[in-house]
Amino acid sequence: MDLVLRAARVITPDGEVAADVGVRDGRIAAVTGIGRLDGDRVVELADDEVLLPGLVDTHVHVNDPGRAEWEGFGTATRAAAAGGVTTVVDMPLNSLPPTTDVAALEVKRAAARGAVHVDVGFWGGIVPGNAADLRPLHDAGVFGFKCFLIHSGVDEFPHVELPDLTAALTALPDALTIVHAEHPHDVTESGPDYAGFLASRPHRAEDHAIADLVGVARETGARVHVLHLSSGSALALVADAKAEGLRLTAETCPHYLTFVAEEIADRATQFKCCPPIRDAANREQLWRGLRDGVVDLVVSDHSPCTPELKEGDFATAWGGIASLQLGLPAVWTQARRRGHALPDVVEWMARKPADLVGLRRKGRIAEGADADFAVFAPDDAFVVDRNRLHHRNPVTPYHGRPLAGVVRQTWLRGRPVTGDEPRGRLLSRGET
């Protein structure tokens, strides 16, 4: 073996085991009983460390090119690696141009090439008028298509109406379509304080939109994925769709599983996101949805901006949360309190996101998979300091929050990620 990682605790698809993980040519060549392998290099994890597969985050806004002052491929992927994330899939909007045709995809790939510290794939976008661009984008390797049912926040990526979405899904039944599901008829003008913002985007906005998506999934038979689910009352809709056999899945995010509306101050706009963070009872509904398999996965929806865009009040500030580096400890902190173990977290944050986009070599410690790992100390702890994060702009609602679990090292295809040499690859749909 080129490398052997030896640990008393390794999270595999079969659960937690003591194991040697052997690596050859950047892939996992063997997972055996501890002490059975030898290699050119043998790394023994400390007694308090656990070997996890590298996490897969399929919901990241890098904003590069065009708004690289908000983030950027270099800073975003350093932050990802610092948080144990070895694969990200970049959203098609907030960059300029948005990824709504092949030419824009090539512009984005050019901006990322040679700058990424983890592996990066790309989503395409569905907007009014680009139906003819979807098949070429699909053939060019995007992992699927994102659309909004409500204003996206940027005018260059307009939302679609249900007939547009139905037509797109009918034309591309084999593609994955991911949807920001809030119904515009249920959203009102926000007040300046948090209560006013929360009231402006009520549960029914999500519930109404998700009910529409269930209908579209039923009509077309296509794969539909609900993004950043925040409404616990929508879980029954998702559960019923799955029971019916529809190809509908859903994700939620660390901030919906961590924060509660009751604790958000009126000027704390670092908490603003759409859909919004709801009350404590709703948070517990989301945790039950994860436990029961109604919610499939947890991803960041990392959506940063410059500090001045977060100034003001909840009516005017940019809606997006920066958390790419902190997702694993944030989720683990809450999960362990509810009786979940690390294999559950790995399922939600590594294997299932990888499976969603068809990356069968990612998100698992198994023979044939890429040798992507996170060395995690689950019982270590830290207090978040925004100035020590790798995101381009030090704005996050996690600042000052104590979290359990420290990522001590991240490996990409059998080599440590140091942040000095960008060795990430650009990924395309269909890679096995």
Side-chain angles (χ1 to χ4, degrees):
M1 300 291 170
D2 304 326
L3 169 70
V4 174
L5 292 172
R6 180 167 295 152
R9 300 178 66 189
V10 179
I11 307 302
T12 75
D14 297 322
E16 182 179 309
V17 298
D20 281 1
V21 180
V23 176
R24 186 182 296 119
D25 297 328
R27 292 200 190 172
I28 298 171
V31 182
T32 71
I34 197 163
R36 295 184 182 179
L37 295 179
D38 196 11
D40 296 338
R41 182 182 181 191
V42 177
V43 176
E44 295 193 19
L45 270 62
D47 291 343
D48 66 337
E49 294 176 340
V50 185
L51 189 67
L52 312 182
L55 304 188
V56 177
D57 193 335
T58 53
H59 196 148
V60 178
H61 294 268
V62 178
N63 310 324
D64 191 4
R67 291 191 176 100
E69 70 276 11
W70 293 17
E71 190 56 279
F73 282 106
T75 51
T77 55
R78 281 192 194 94
V85 177
T86 53
T87 304
V88 303
V89 187
D90 178 39
M91 284 292 167
L93 72 156
N94 300 343
S95 54
L96 295 169
T99 314
T100 54
D101 57 34
V102 172
L105 175 64
E106 291 309 315
V107 170
K108 179 162 282 196
R109 283 176 168 161
R113 195 168 289 117
V116 295
H117 296 268
V118 302
D119 289 352
V120 177
F122 303 96
W123 295 106
I126 299 174
V127 296
N130 81 325
D133 295 302
L134 300 182
R135 176 59 65 181
L137 270 170
H138 189 255
D139 293 343
V142 297
F143 283 89
F145 297 93
K146 180 177 186 177
C147 66
F148 282 73
L149 299 183
I150 194 171
H151 192 279
S152 70
V154 290
D155 292 339
E156 69 273 4
F157 198 96
H159 71 282
V160 298
E161 304 292 340
L162 281 179
D164 300 321
L165 177 58
T166 302
L169 294 179
T170 302
L172 286 168
D174 51 336
L176 171 62
T177 300
I178 63 175
V179 185
H180 181 122
E182 289 181 284
H183 200 291
H185 294 166
D186 298 308
V187 173
T188 59
E189 186 173 348
S190 171
D193 58 6
Y194 193 73
F197 171 63
L198 184 60
S200 76
R201 304 183 91 103
H203 286 271
R204 66 177 178 274
E206 281 189 87
D207 300 354
H208 187 174
I210 290 170
D212 285 344
L213 289 181
V214 171
V216 171
R218 183 182 295 120
E219 178 181 349
T220 64
R223 293 179 67 201
V224 178
H225 181 70
V226 178
L227 295 170
H228 45 51
L229 179 69
S230 86
S231 172
S233 59
L235 290 169
L237 292 166
V238 177
D240 289 347
K242 290 184 172 189
E244 187 181 334
L246 302 181
R247 297 199 294 167
L248 185 130
T249 51
E251 69 186 39
T252 193
C253 304
H255 41 278
Y256 300 127
L257 298 170
T258 299
F259 303 115
V260 293
E262 294 92 332
E263 298 174 356
I264 299 176
D266 285 345
R267 302 292 292 183
T269 54
Q270 66 271 24
F271 289 89
K272 182 179 177 180
C273 57
C274 300
I277 295 162
R278 304 190 188 277
D279 60 33
N282 183 85
R283 179 181 65 180
E284 298 315 307
Q285 286 182 288
L286 295 177
W287 275 107
R288 288 192 292 273
L290 271 175
R291 179 198 64 196
D292 296 340
V294 178
V295 178
D296 297 273
L297 52 107
V298 182
V299 287
S300 69
D301 189 10
H302 178 68
S303 186
C305 64
T306 54
E308 60 270 18
L309 291 177
K310 275 293 191 183
E311 294 174 355
D313 58 37
F314 278 96
T316 59
W318 172 258
I321 285 180
S323 64
L324 181 55
Q325 186 172 333
L326 300 169
L328 175 57
V331 172
W332 173 238
T333 298
Q334 298 294 324
R336 70 192 307 191
R337 294 174 182 170
R338 293 165 175 81
H340 294 288
L342 279 172
D344 299 322
V345 175
V346 167
E347 183 88 346
W348 303 327
M349 303 188 76
R351 188 185 69 80
K352 284 191 173 179
D355 288 352
L356 177 75
V357 295
L359 288 172
R360 304 301 179 187
R361 293 206 313 260
K362 299 293 189 182
R364 66 209 75 213
I365 296 178
E367 290 186 18
D370 286 352
D372 300 346
F373 309 109
V375 176
F376 187 59
D379 296 322
D380 203 351
F382 68 105
V383 175
V384 178
D385 179 353
R386 63 191 173 206
N387 296 307
R388 300 187 66 182
L389 300 177
H390 292 274
H391 311 149
R392 174 150 290 166
N393 295 293
V395 180
T396 178
Y398 291 93
H399 177 65
R401 193 173 186 91
L403 296 177
V406 173
V407 176
R408 292 184 177 164
Q409 197 169 41
T410 300
W411 298 70
L412 182 69
R413 286 186 299 279
R415 294 176 61 186
V417 181
T418 65
D420 298 323
E421 178 188 1
R423 292 185 293 101
R425 296 177 181 172
L426 305 188
L427 305 176
S428 293
R429 180 190 48 80
E431 295 183 3
T432 58

